[in-house]
Amino acid sequence: MKLASLLLAGMLALSPHIHAANDAADPLESARWGDMRKEFFGDQTVVFDTRVEVTAPLTAENPMNVPVAVNAAALPDVREVVVFADFNPIVRILEFTPGAAEASLAFRIKLQQSSPVRAAARTGDGVWHVGGTWVTTTGGGCTVPSTGSASPEWQSRLNEVNGRMWSRQGQGERVRLRIIHPMDTGLAPSVPAFHIESLVLADEKTELMTIRTFEPVSENPLFTIDLAPGTDPARIRVTGRDNNGNRINAWVTR
Amino acid sequence: MGDAMMRHLRTLAAVSLMLVTALIAAADFDYGLSPRQVAEDTWVVVGRNEDFSFENGGNIVNSAFIVTSEGVVVIDSGPSRRFGEQLRAAIARITDQPILRVLNTHHHPDHFLGNQAFPAASLAALAGTIEGIRRDGESFNENMYRLAGDWMLGTEVTVPGQDIEPGPLTVGEHRLELLALDGHTGTDLAVFDRTTGVLFAGDLLFHDRAPTTPHANIPRWLASIAVLEALPVKVLVPGHGAPTTGSEPISQTRNWLEWLQQTIRSGAESGLDLTEMLDRPLPADEARLAVSAAEYRRSLSHLYPAAEQQALEHGAAGHAH
Ligand SMILES: [Zn+2]
């Protein structure tokens, strides 16, 4: 048993997630947090804040399609939210700007290896509030070509939008939409990066949400957006484009 | 300190402990297979109702064999070369009849990766299963190394050379019926021994353990269960879980699948996100089965995206002009 406890101690010490006090500020104790902070926030004010909730499975069954929900609606005056994964080869996943929508968004991502998945919400006072969670995975999600890139079928349906709205019983509307797109990362051999870059949701009067997406968002992206109570659009227009200039333009109705 | 951090530490500690335990337990890689007689000439090596692990080396599956005057018929060869070898040794302790046939019920790794230990000419399966082993065998084998570690050493995918036709098959004094069904995977073989009344259901039936669904088609699976239910069964040998003279594997597997299908449909139809579905507690009946929470989450990952897609495509949307 002496050998066993030595081995156990050794494994814990070698783990990248257990660090001495020098990195204690990060609740997820990621060796990459220092780099993340520099890359995303420079010298702006950053606080860890449990009001920014990131929900994802502790263990991801499918590294190509890891469900993630970000909810920063408990914070006042959210201007912008950035989502990233410390250990992904492409760390930046997406950014969104809530207009008349709540500061929450659910989507699916590709993970190359186990990593913290974090969301940072910038409030009106310029402070970034960071929340996150660890997702464990066998990995490989970023270097596999999309199924779309292997079959010609998607080409005729590229940027097609399927969407639907649900009433959340007096709490505003829920919008879910899925867009046909391979979302290739450019990291699979001889498959160039090909991904949606921007999406804008709007009703007849106002902008509801702007989403900027990057390579780690899963193939055929699916988004769940909750509108604030009182916004009650009969239909929502979705516009956007990918990095090759192909346009997205569709209406989502009830 | 967040909850997430604590959960992560706990997982890490658990994983480390598992590795250490595995190092100690696996020193001799002995699965401890001890065949249990369930009817005349009929034996089952019963696996544990667990997930694959470094600790159990993949021994979570049932293998069975029928000793006849013409030779031994083996149903499913287990998760690794070592398992196959130890199964063969266990058979040799019971009979000196030669191995006549090894049938793989379907192409999941725990049902065919022991093939290597048996004579190549004895290996047989339905055509769809052979095709599945050819297509997915290598990646399943790699994945088993990740899940069960050194227990898998030396295991190579061995594709059955003989494709079998469904229908009656008499071996010695045993009148077998080979049933070509589907739903757990694209091709599922069940073997009914009319002489003893033993049904070898493969993974079409689970007992006291939540069913797995990585290649499932639930409506087809339920139809296959109805076919099995109509047979005059005396002893039921599920793919996972204890053999029984009762019918619990039928009701448990059917109830789980119906509940899962209904949960997934109504979740997608009411606009719930996958993260919200993952969070839901299981009803008491379902929670009682081994590995239920983990299988529920895995099943959502396999089946929810298609249900979401269907719910969205039925919603009104399209290109604006
Ligand atoms: Zn199976």
Side-chain angles (χ1 to χ4, degrees):
Chain A
M1 280 325 286
K2 208 167 191 179
L3 174 70
S5 46
L6 268 174
L7 275 169
L8 180 62
M11 271 181 269
L12 288 172
L14 282 173
S15 161
H17 319 316
I18 311 293
H19 274 276
N22 59 2
D23 214 354
D26 171 20
L28 300 181
E29 306 213 359
S30 155
R32 295 269 292 144
W33 168 246
D35 296 337
M36 295 299 107
R37 185 184 167 125
K38 215 177 296 165
E39 175 171 348
F40 286 94
F41 315 112
D43 42 23
Q44 300 172 76
T45 310
V46 180
V47 296
F48 292 107
D49 194 326
T50 52
R51 285 173 295 179
V52 180
E53 284 177 32
V54 178
T55 308
L58 194 55
T59 305
E61 172 73 4
N62 180 359
M64 305 279 292
N65 211 23
V66 183
V68 176
V70 170
N71 189 351
L75 282 174
D77 194 20
V78 172
R79 302 294 173 90
E80 173 186 12
V81 178
V82 179
V83 182
F84 56 95
D86 299 19
F87 288 98
N88 244 11
I90 301 167
V91 290
R92 196 181 298 261
I93 297 168
L94 63 74
E95 304 166 354
F96 67 94
T97 311
E102 287 185 355
S104 72
L105 183 65
F107 45 92
R108 313 278 153 85
I109 67 171
K110 291 169 274 197
L111 277 183
Q112 184 66 10
Q113 64 183 90
S114 301
S115 175
V117 176
R118 304 186 197 254
R122 184 172 57 81
T123 42
D125 56 6
V127 175
W128 288 97
H129 303 256
V130 179
T133 186
W134 268 94
V135 180
T136 305
T137 172
T138 53
C142 285
T143 48
V144 180
S146 63
T147 53
S149 70
S151 92
E153 267 168 36
W154 59 266
Q155 292 182 20
S156 61
R157 297 183 67 190
L158 183 72
N159 288 343
E160 182 183 312
V161 178
N162 291 122
R164 198 165 151 186
M165 290 162 66
W166 283 267
S167 159
R168 293 188 297 145
Q169 275 94 31
Q171 297 175 281
E173 300 284 312
R174 163 163 291 191
V175 185
R176 304 196 80 202
L177 53 101
R178 169 181 167 270
I179 304 152
I180 308 264
H181 204 288
M183 298 298 286
D184 273 306
T185 59
L187 300 176
S190 68
V191 181
F194 184 34
H195 61 93
I196 298 170
E197 285 184 335
S198 69
L199 285 172
V200 178
L201 278 73
D203 65 11
E204 317 281 347
K205 309 177 288 284
T206 51
E207 205 168 284
L208 302 169
M209 184 179 276
T210 301
I211 307 171
R212 291 186 62 207
T213 53
F214 299 89
E215 293 89 335
V217 172
S218 297
E219 182 174 8
N220 301 332
L222 175 66
F223 298 98
T224 303
I225 299 126
D226 289 333
L227 305 183
T231 14
D232 219 12
R235 56 180 196 163
I236 289 173
R237 182 160 206 162
V238 184
T239 54
R241 63 176 167 72
D242 64 27
N243 65 330
N244 285 6
N246 301 301
R247 300 260 160 207
I248 297 161
N249 189 0
W251 289 100
V252 173
T253 57
R254 212 160 288 273
Chain B
M1 289 283 226
D3 267 5
M5 173 66 195
M6 284 314 296
R7 265 188 307 167
H8 190 67
L9 277 175
R10 248 180 275 135
T11 313
L12 190 71
V15 167
S16 309
L17 193 64
M18 250 165 49
L19 288 171
V20 171
T21 319
L23 280 174
I24 294 163
D28 52 355
F29 298 107
D30 184 355
Y31 285 106
L33 304 184
S34 79
R36 187 193 298 177
Q37 186 162 20
V38 298
E40 199 178 358
D41 307 330
T42 311
W43 306 77
V44 181
V45 170
V46 182
R48 305 194 209 172
N49 270 355
E50 297 174 1
D51 265 335
F52 296 123
S53 71
F54 279 52
E55 214 259 307
N56 61 37
N59 181 14
I60 63 160
V61 64
N62 295 342
S63 290
F65 55 95
I66 309 167
V67 180
T68 80
S69 56
E70 264 185 71
V72 180
V73 177
V74 180
I75 294 148
D76 286 337
S77 61
S80 67
R81 180 188 62 117
R82 282 183 214 275
F83 187 101
E85 287 167 354
Q86 291 172 33
L87 175 62
R88 206 171 165 184
I91 295 169
R93 284 196 293 273
I94 288 167
T95 177
D96 45 22
Q97 287 288 345
I99 303 292
L100 180 71
R101 248 338 132 75
V102 176
L103 302 171
N104 299 131
T105 57
H106 63 295
H107 83 300
H108 283 163
D110 43 337
H111 298 261
F112 76 85
L113 281 175
N115 282 2
Q116 214 178 339
F118 292 92
S122 70
L123 305 173
L126 293 167
T129 299
I130 293 175
E131 198 187 302
I133 293 175
R134 260 201 204 107
R135 186 186 57 233
D136 298 334
E138 287 303 335
S139 69
F140 286 169
N141 195 19
E142 265 172 47
N143 199 40
M144 283 300 295
Y145 271 85
R146 269 198 291 277
L147 297 169
D150 284 349
W151 288 87
M152 299 302 298
L153 273 184
T155 303
E156 282 165 23
V157 173
T158 309
V159 183
Q162 241 188 98
D163 64 84
I164 44 168
E165 293 292 325
L169 172 73
T170 301
V171 187
E173 50 292 354
H174 287 261
R175 289 178 298 116
L176 307 182
E177 184 76 30
L178 306 182
L179 296 104
L181 300 166
D182 64 321
H184 172 66
T185 67
T187 306
D188 296 295
L189 171 71
V191 179
F192 182 52
D193 186 339
R194 293 200 179 273
T195 308
T196 55
V198 179
L199 171 64
F200 306 90
D203 281 4
L204 289 170
L205 295 177
F206 285 68
H207 188 196
D208 290 337
R209 188 207 193 276
T212 63
T213 61
H215 305 95
N217 176 329
I218 294 182
R220 300 291 312 160
W221 192 340
L222 290 168
S224 292
I225 290 176
V227 172
L228 298 181
E229 194 177 27
L231 299 169
V233 175
K234 291 197 182 113
V235 179
L236 209 161
V237 181
H240 300 264
T244 173
T245 51
S247 60
E248 305 84 8
I250 290 180
S251 54
Q252 286 176 0
T253 307
R254 178 187 284 145
N255 289 348
W256 175 276
L257 293 175
E258 283 174 347
W259 162 76
L260 185 65
Q261 178 170 255
Q262 172 56 27
T263 302
I264 285 174
R265 268 191 201 149
S266 71
E269 273 306 315
S270 50
L272 292 179
D273 185 66
L274 183 45
T275 49
E276 293 164 319
M277 293 295 288
L278 287 166
D279 254 5
R280 292 175 139 196
L282 270 61
D285 273 353
E286 278 69 30
R288 210 172 293 139
L289 302 181
V291 212
S292 53
E295 290 304 348
Y296 166 65
R297 294 202 183 104
R298 282 196 277 260
S299 290
L300 285 177
S301 170
H302 304 141
L303 303 171
Y304 201 63
E308 284 175 315
Q309 189 177 323
Q310 203 179 5
L312 291 177
E313 280 174 4
H314 289 173
H319 286 275
H321 295 286

